[in-house]
Amino acid sequence: MIEAATITNVMRTLADPTRRAVFERIVKSDEISVVELTRGSGVTQGAISQHLKSLKQAGLVAERPEGRNVYYRAQPEGLEPLVDWMSHYGVFWRERFADLRTLLKEIDP
């Protein structure tokens, strides 16, 4: 069974366009620092840090401190609850469309 709270947390986290853009930049790099994420983003370092905090709480990123910097990397397994949920409903809708196709063929052969 898919835990609703986990899915909601992942969806809520990725619903914010800025946060989603930060996550996509992290996914595209092996590791990236807050300074690198802030560069060219159009938002402050404090705002980036808040978005990173949300991504970390949702299990979507992990951090590695090194000296004065903290590096972030994506945790693909954080998306598993969302992928599982979408797969479940993908099966549901494919079955419904197959039933509808059968019904339409019966009505108008």
Side-chain angles (χ1 to χ4, degrees):
M1 185 67 187
I2 304 167
E3 188 177 331
T6 305
I7 297 164
T8 300
N9 193 26
V10 171
M11 286 181 166
R12 186 173 288 145
T13 300
L14 293 175
D16 182 280
T18 303
R19 194 172 303 130
R20 194 170 50 250
V22 168
F23 180 67
E24 288 172 2
R25 285 188 66 196
I26 295 169
V27 168
K28 290 178 184 172
S29 62
D30 276 346
E31 281 190 328
I32 192 165
S33 69
V34 176
V35 173
E36 293 168 316
L37 284 167
T38 303
R39 225 178 276 139
S41 68
V43 293
T44 66
Q45 188 169 328
I48 292 291
S49 293
Q50 287 299 312
H51 289 302
L52 289 168
K53 181 180 176 183
S54 296
L55 290 166
K56 186 178 168 195
Q57 288 174 341
L60 297 170
V61 298
E63 64 182 21
R64 180 183 61 82
E66 184 179 299
R68 296 178 61 178
N69 293 315
V70 178
Y71 294 90
Y72 291 87
R73 66 183 178 284
Q75 286 194 298
E77 63 272 18
L79 291 172
E80 283 179 15
L82 183 60
V83 171
D84 291 345
W85 183 82
M86 290 173 55
S87 295
H88 171 77
Y89 282 99
V91 169
F92 172 83
W93 284 111
R94 275 191 292 281
E95 290 173 357
R96 295 305 178 273
F97 283 122
D99 292 346
L100 178 61
R101 189 175 302 118
T102 302
L103 178 64
L104 290 174
K105 283 181 181 177
E106 289 174 12
I107 293 172
D108 188 20

